[in-house]
Amino acid sequence: MDRSRTRKDDVNTREWRDTIAAAQAGDRQALDELVEGWLPLVYNIVGRALNGHADVDDVVQETMLRAVGNLGSLRDPDSFRSWLVAIAMRQIRDRARRRTAPAPLAEATAQDAADFAELTVLRLQLEGQRREVAEAVRWLDDEDRQLLSLWWLEVAGELSRRELAAAAGISRQHAAVRVQRLKERVETARGIVRALDGACPDLRELTGRWDGRPDSVWRKRLARHIRGCGYCGDTRETVVPAERLLVGIALVPLPVGFTLSLALGGKTAAAAAGAAGAASVGWSAKVMAALTQPAVAVTAGATIVAGGAYVVVQTPEDPPPRAVSSPTAASTARPPAVPSPSPSATPSPSPTQRKVELYGTVVDAVDAAPDPDAEPAVLPHRPEAGVTSSWGAKAVMQHRGETVTLSGQGYVLVRWQIAPQDRSGSLAMPTWTALKGKLFHVASAGGRRMDDATGPGTTGMGGPDTGFTVLPAGTQQMWQNEYFYLDGSVDLTVNERGASYGLTVFPSSWEAADKDINYGPPQGAIRYGLVRDNGEDTAPVPQYVTRATPADPATVAQRSRL
């Protein structure tokens, strides 16, 4: 790391000197600013080190609690960042030691709707080789991910090499060796991500029995294949080193709904002071007294509320959170004081908490298949003026990035064509973007769900001979035919990236949908269809829909609100 970067880092921390000093003196507003300014850095370190595991929130919480509880012991405010990062890394390592058994590389992806790699891609809208680097994190071991969480921030300009080494508990010379080895492993992981995005027939055969979740065994198998494969090893573009790709990438913003409680584990002021020792009695008492006060500050995208809870909020009308870089002097400007209500009073909503009338608040969610002989409910008949398609009467979309624009008032049929025999693995869902008006998911039909059995151990999602198509966690299982009702205009895009699939999209009608859902086992189908429409504005909307037009439609959030 060059000296100019180090000087810049030192200046950046010194800009916070007055705020840190004020917080140490018991200034609650300064403490709020300190937490708000540095929480994103801690969240990114922990999130990337644990790759979005369910323990991320707990480790972030414990890190900030320890930082707030021990702030009075920090002698040099200029070393605050190094001190805070070191606390975060200790909490990460403590969490690793507490685990009774090693967990597979993909323990987060198996449980969470979006691991930190996916969150990084979505929130920062990364594309191309930058997306490749972010997704490569999934293929690293725990120890490498911990170092990567620091190195990523170093090359992005958020940490110095001195701070990286201190946080990792090693010398700068040893840090250089560790980072060099990490770079090599990241490049190997990038090669795996790149190959899985490709169409190598030998790789498809190799991954036929893979469940789509990264682990050390498959990492070795895939790396070995890539080294000996002319197709996978022949990149069609210059591979840019990871450190050049990461320069200038901002921190991943805190997710909406993230909550941090600063009540120091519920200790009383006297208990906290006693535990901290006589030297910090004044500091602990002041902090604990401040943390029991009602709301004192409302900041952009976040609220410090009664009891010291830090809550990230965002309404559907708010713009997406801006990526947050390291705190600067400008970001420490204190907001005007907000009058504190009495503890018994109900606080009035802040501007970011206003009630907004929505439609389609019953968003599609995971459901179970109905009994095959269960006849569907009556399908409400909504007004029809007709829907036009930019592809004509039938849009057959088979490749990533293909988009059809639908306009008008009426019904649309989306027919699924999943092809695990071409390429199995994780499926990137299609998305609805640029919505104007309203869009409802009204019915599912086609005589079967795609996970219905078609043979021994085989469904429409694949089988032991071809491999299986795996949906993102929390995604509703699709049926062969899905019906939607549109009143306005919208774009539907195929985001094929891993598993192979296609969509055929037809402007349709209520009559066709009603006939399809009532075709059941007596006529030769596996099951009757399913009516989702209740005829009201609270009918389900698709999981992957937005009014925005993102550069990459695959970045649409899974649980949209319209």
Side-chain angles (χ1 to χ4, degrees):
M1 191 60 58
D2 59 39
R3 292 183 179 179
S4 62
R5 169 73 63 81
T6 301
R7 286 195 297 270
K8 175 184 175 182
D9 294 335
D10 291 342
V11 169
N12 187 280
T13 305
R14 285 199 298 270
E15 290 172 345
W16 281 82
R17 180 184 294 157
D18 292 344
T19 304
I20 295 168
Q24 287 181 312
D27 185 330
R28 169 61 192 271
Q29 191 169 333
L31 183 64
D32 290 344
E33 292 170 19
L34 206 58
V35 170
E36 180 200 354
W38 292 95
L39 181 57
L41 181 71
V42 172
Y43 173 73
N44 275 255
I45 291 172
V46 176
R48 192 157 287 118
L50 303 184
N51 195 34
H53 187 274
D55 288 349
V56 166
D57 288 4
D58 290 341
V59 176
V60 171
Q61 175 101 354
E62 186 64 27
T63 298
M64 298 308 293
L65 282 171
R66 289 181 180 274
V68 169
N70 293 285
L71 188 59
S73 65
L74 178 65
R75 296 183 178 181
D76 180 10
D78 290 346
S79 64
F80 175 78
R81 181 166 61 178
S82 299
W83 176 77
L84 180 63
V85 172
I87 292 175
M89 294 306 296
R90 282 198 298 272
Q91 296 310 308
I92 292 168
R93 289 192 287 267
D94 286 348
R95 176 259 184 191
R97 284 193 292 268
R98 287 195 301 268
R99 286 162 51 184
T100 57
L105 288 174
E107 63 177 347
T109 57
Q111 301 294 331
D112 300 338
D115 60 12
F116 204 82
E118 182 179 350
L119 187 64
T120 302
V121 172
L122 296 181
R123 301 284 282 179
L124 300 184
Q125 297 191 8
L126 302 186
E127 299 178 359
Q129 292 191 37
R130 282 191 170 91
R131 175 190 67 81
E132 183 182 277
V133 173
E135 294 183 346
V137 174
R138 297 188 180 109
W139 290 95
L140 300 178
D141 290 315
D142 288 350
E143 187 174 344
D144 283 335
R145 278 207 300 263
Q146 291 176 22
L147 182 60
L148 179 71
S149 70
L150 300 174
W151 179 65
W152 183 303
L153 294 174
E154 180 194 13
V155 296
E158 307 293 344
L159 293 179
S160 68
R161 175 56 60 87
R162 173 175 53 81
E163 290 169 328
L164 180 151
I170 55 180
S171 67
R172 295 185 64 176
Q173 292 77 10
H174 189 195
V177 174
R178 290 271 310 275
V179 166
Q180 183 57 42
R181 291 174 181 167
L182 174 65
K183 291 179 184 179
E184 295 170 359
R185 290 166 184 153
V186 168
E187 293 306 322
T188 297
R190 289 179 65 189
I192 293 173
V193 173
R194 192 180 312 120
L196 291 174
D197 277 350
C200 172
D202 292 336
L203 187 64
R204 288 203 301 271
E205 182 178 352
L206 174 64
T207 57
R209 296 180 182 274
W210 180 45
D211 65 2
R213 298 172 181 173
D215 61 41
S216 57
V217 173
W218 277 102
R219 180 183 61 204
K220 294 174 183 176
R221 289 179 182 173
L222 295 174
R224 186 165 53 247
H225 165 83
I226 293 168
R227 285 194 297 270
C229 177
Y231 188 98
C232 294
D234 180 23
T235 58
R236 291 165 173 75
E237 60 179 326
T238 302
V239 179
V240 180
E243 57 264 41
R244 287 176 53 190
L245 295 171
L246 301 181
V247 171
I249 291 183
L251 301 181
V252 176
L254 292 166
V256 174
F258 180 89
T259 302
L260 176 71
S261 173
L262 297 180
L264 293 187
K267 295 179 181 178
T268 64
S280 58
V281 168
W283 153 249
S284 297
K286 289 177 181 178
V287 169
M288 291 311 303
L291 291 175
T292 59
Q293 300 303 311
V296 296
V298 176
T299 59
T303 307
I304 307 294
V305 298
Y310 180 102
V311 183
V312 178
V313 295
Q314 175 195 356
T315 67
E317 292 185 356
D318 293 330
R322 179 172 53 86
V324 183
S325 60
S326 283
T328 63
S331 71
T332 65
R334 298 185 180 180
V338 178
S340 298
S342 63
S344 60
T346 301
S348 59
S350 72
T352 59
Q353 295 171 313
R354 60 187 179 278
K355 182 179 179 181
V356 179
E357 293 298 327
L358 305 174
Y359 91 88
T361 51
V362 181
V363 181
D364 276 353
V366 176
D367 58 5
D371 184 272
D373 295 318
E375 296 187 14
V378 175
L379 178 66
H381 192 168
R382 294 178 180 265
E384 296 180 81
V387 172
T388 60
S389 164
S390 60
W391 285 51
K394 180 171 69 172
V396 181
M397 301 190 294
Q398 301 283 357
H399 304 289
R400 174 175 168 80
E402 291 184 327
T403 301
V404 60
T405 300
L406 303 163
S407 304
Q409 182 188 59
Y411 292 83
V412 175
L413 164 61
V414 177
R415 179 170 296 164
W416 278 87
Q417 303 159 327
I418 296 177
Q421 69 276 9
D422 291 340
R423 187 171 65 251
S424 57
S426 180
L427 187 147
M429 293 296 291
T431 50
W432 306 84
T433 62
L435 174 64
K436 297 178 182 178
K438 297 181 179 181
L439 178 69
F440 297 102
H441 186 186
V442 295
S444 299
R448 67 186 179 103
R449 284 185 15 148
M450 296 303 288
D451 61 347
D452 281 333
T454 57
T458 302
T459 72
M461 302 297 287
D465 295 332
T466 62
F468 293 91
T469 299
V470 182
L471 294 179
T475 299
Q476 179 176 277
Q477 176 66 56
M478 71 288 292
W479 293 53
Q480 177 75 72
N481 292 344
E482 297 285 6
Y483 287 90
F484 301 87
Y485 178 83
L486 174 66
D487 188 358
S489 65
V490 71
D491 294 340
L492 176 61
T493 301
V494 170
N495 296 312
E496 183 184 48
R497 177 178 291 162
S500 177
Y501 73 94
L503 300 177
T504 304
V505 184
F506 311 78
S508 188
S509 65
W510 174 87
E511 183 179 11
D514 185 65
K515 182 178 180 180
D516 195 351
I517 62 176
N518 283 288
Y519 185 85
Q523 292 86 17
I526 294 177
R527 67 180 72 249
Y528 285 100
L530 178 67
V531 170
R532 302 182 182 279
D533 191 3
N534 62 9
E536 306 293 337
D537 262 11
T538 53
V541 300
Q543 282 181 284
Y544 297 83
V545 60
T546 180
R547 295 189 183 279
T549 308
D552 181 359
T555 62
V556 172
Q558 180 172 323
R559 295 194 60 79
S560 307
R561 298 181 68 204
L562 298 170

